[in-house]
Amino acid sequence: MSIKKDLKREGIEVIGKLDTLTINSLAKNISSIISQTFPELNLNTNDLFRNISRLNMYYARLPQGISAKYFYKNKSIYFSNTVDSKNLTAVAMHECIHYLQEVCDNNGNIIRLGLCDYTSKHSPDIGINEAAVQLMASKCLNKQYENVKYFGIDIPTNSPSYYTLECALVNQMAYVVGENILFDSTLNSNDKFKEQFISLTSKNTFYTIEKNIDLLVETQERLASIYASLQEFDTDIYFIKESNKEIDKQKSKIKKLFLDTQKLILTSYFDSTIKLAYTSKTIENYRNKLYLFKNYIGQADGDTFYNDYYIDKMIELEKKYESDNTEITDLVVVKHNFISTLFRKIKTLFGFNSGYAKIKND
């Protein structure tokens, strides 16, 4: 199939090519931002510039809702003709990261795109990779975190407009594994992030999360398609009625899928690592990490899973103290600190000013 036919199938209608000066200016800005944002990756700014400046860049008419798209078959980025030329750096960042992460075989066929492995027998991690790329782009552009509400879920995010749910889940994974490992695997197309997450949880957990995130993307695309159909058949009462039923169904599916995946990330990691918490230092580290996980979760009305889980784990830690073989003097001090910290953090977590007894009675 020719490139023209491929572009047509993607809904891309080329208007005109960006001039060399604009491309080079864009490549310079993006290469500098990426290398400065991720110093731990030891990136060479000049190499990044050379790679990005080789890209073909065009203005085009794109499908609704898409500002830019990287097309690997001809190494080109297509910008929507509605994009302000002053915002090209922000719009191009995500697509340039896609270009930098791609690995092709000798025939030019893409075999790896960051976390997305097209040679794997499992699903290719398309959703995880898109979220990871967007997290990198948001960090490059210094996007600040804000709270948004999607499908009845309050989510802290620095990507309120693109892959918001997927970014939230991958951000949770990065919290327990390490953000640097995620970005290394994303840009350099390796399995470090995957292997580290599996080592801290399990293979089954990783592949379930991977599948769920891909399903989240698919379900939201399905929902967008229904909305588009409603605009086309907005006078057909029966069609509208049935479409609204389907919309509610898909929204409920998305909400459940997100919350279930979030629970899996939380429990798989903290159920596993609590076994390693047997000294005062490791117990304190565990408690702090579980407590700070609250900054990454999406919260829905009536869903108290994280709060309940936190209390259960604090009680489990107390039992570990009681059964510990540590010397009595050390145990008394550690347990006193534990109880004080437990009360203080539970009150902070729930917004109460009273003690644990009040929480239990409520």
Side-chain angles (χ1 to χ4, degrees):
M1 185 179 291
S2 67
I3 293 296
K4 287 185 178 180
K5 289 182 178 179
D6 285 336
L7 293 177
K8 185 176 180 180
R9 182 165 54 85
E10 295 288 334
I12 299 174
E13 183 183 343
V14 178
I15 295 176
K17 189 173 184 179
L18 272 67
D19 61 82
T20 302
L21 182 62
T22 301
I23 292 174
N24 285 343
S25 176
L26 198 56
K28 182 179 180 181
N29 287 341
I30 291 175
S31 59
S32 177
I33 291 171
I34 292 176
S35 60
Q36 290 176 22
T37 304
F38 307 105
E40 66 281 352
L41 297 182
N42 297 314
L43 302 170
N44 186 294
T45 305
N46 291 330
D47 288 343
L48 290 176
F49 168 77
R50 279 191 291 270
N51 284 330
I52 296 172
S53 63
R54 291 171 185 160
L55 280 165
N56 299 307
M57 299 186 186
Y58 301 89
Y59 281 115
R61 293 184 181 88
L62 301 179
Q64 185 177 0
I66 298 179
S67 300
K69 185 175 181 64
Y70 171 64
F71 199 63
Y72 84 92
K73 290 186 178 180
N74 62 348
K75 312 299 181 190
S76 300
I77 293 180
Y78 297 90
F79 297 100
S80 172
N81 61 314
T82 62
V83 171
D84 188 336
S85 60
K86 296 179 181 179
N87 295 329
L88 285 181
T89 296
V91 173
M93 187 65 69
H94 183 107
E95 308 308 319
C96 284
I97 293 173
H98 270 318
Y99 167 64
L100 293 171
Q101 67 176 184
E102 77 172 18
V103 178
C104 296
D105 62 19
N106 293 332
N107 296 320
N109 298 312
I110 193 164
I111 57 176
R112 182 88 189 221
L113 198 65
L115 302 173
C116 184
D117 184 358
Y118 289 96
T119 66
S120 173
K121 64 180 180 180
H122 297 278
S123 63
D125 300 345
I126 294 172
I128 289 182
N129 187 63
E130 285 292 349
V133 169
Q134 183 57 31
L135 286 172
M136 286 192 77
S138 292
K139 187 165 186 176
C140 283
L141 299 170
N142 198 28
K143 297 289 186 180
Q144 300 302 304
Y145 276 82
E146 58 182 288
N147 282 353
V148 298
K149 193 162 189 172
Y150 281 105
F151 307 105
I153 308 168
D154 289 307
I155 303 170
T157 181
N158 61 353
S159 180
S161 302
Y162 301 100
Y163 298 106
T164 305
L165 299 177
E166 296 82 358
C167 284
L169 293 173
V170 174
N171 213 17
Q172 292 172 17
M173 297 172 75
Y175 172 69
V176 301
V177 170
E179 192 178 66
N180 291 346
I181 299 177
L182 171 66
F183 294 149
D184 183 352
S185 289
T186 302
L187 197 63
N188 295 318
S189 293
N190 60 55
D191 286 330
K192 292 179 182 178
F193 175 76
K194 174 182 176 180
E195 291 170 352
Q196 181 69 1
F197 189 84
I198 288 174
S199 72
L200 294 171
T201 57
S202 70
K203 280 186 178 181
N204 183 61
T205 296
F206 180 84
Y207 291 127
T208 299
I209 294 169
E210 164 193 284
K211 180 181 177 181
N212 287 356
I213 292 178
D214 281 346
L215 190 55
L216 265 177
V217 175
E218 293 172 11
T219 308
Q220 289 173 91
E221 289 175 350
R222 165 65 179 156
L223 193 58
S225 177
I226 298 172
Y227 280 125
S229 297
L230 271 175
Q231 292 181 347
E232 186 177 352
F233 301 99
D234 59 355
T235 59
D236 188 326
I237 302 301
Y238 176 78
F239 182 82
I240 292 173
K241 183 178 179 181
E242 292 302 308
S243 294
N244 285 332
K245 288 181 182 178
E246 186 64 20
I247 286 171
D248 289 340
K249 178 182 176 181
Q250 297 301 321
K251 284 183 175 180
S252 295
K253 182 179 179 180
I254 289 169
K255 182 177 180 179
K256 183 177 186 304
L257 192 57
F258 177 90
L259 293 176
D260 286 350
T261 307
Q262 177 173 265
K263 290 173 187 176
L264 180 58
I265 295 170
L266 173 67
T267 58
S268 62
Y269 175 74
F270 287 102
D271 283 355
S272 175
T273 53
I274 197 169
K275 300 171 186 176
L276 304 176
Y278 52 85
T279 66
S280 59
K281 182 177 180 180
T282 55
I283 287 172
E284 181 64 19
N285 289 340
Y286 177 92
R287 178 171 55 244
N288 285 337
K289 192 155 191 175
L290 175 56
Y291 177 74
L292 293 176
F293 191 85
K294 71 183 178 66
N295 296 327
Y296 296 83
I297 62 171
Q299 296 181 311
D301 290 343
D303 180 22
T304 62
F305 183 84
Y306 169 76
N307 298 340
D308 296 339
Y309 183 82
Y310 179 85
I311 293 175
D312 288 343
K313 287 304 172 188
M314 293 303 99
I315 293 172
E316 187 174 342
L317 285 179
E318 183 181 3
K319 290 179 180 178
K320 286 173 73 73
Y321 288 136
E322 292 174 346
S323 62
D324 200 341
N325 291 323
T326 310
E327 293 182 5
I328 295 298
T329 54
D330 181 54
L331 179 60
V332 171
V333 173
V334 170
K335 186 172 181 181
H336 173 74
N337 290 337
F338 166 75
I339 295 298
S340 299
T341 304
L342 173 61
F343 286 170
R344 184 175 66 253
K345 291 193 172 180
I346 285 178
K347 286 189 288 184
T348 303
L349 188 67
F350 293 97
F352 292 141
N353 293 317
S354 54
Y356 183 61
K358 177 172 173 49
I359 294 174
K360 293 295 288 184
N361 291 333
D362 289 345

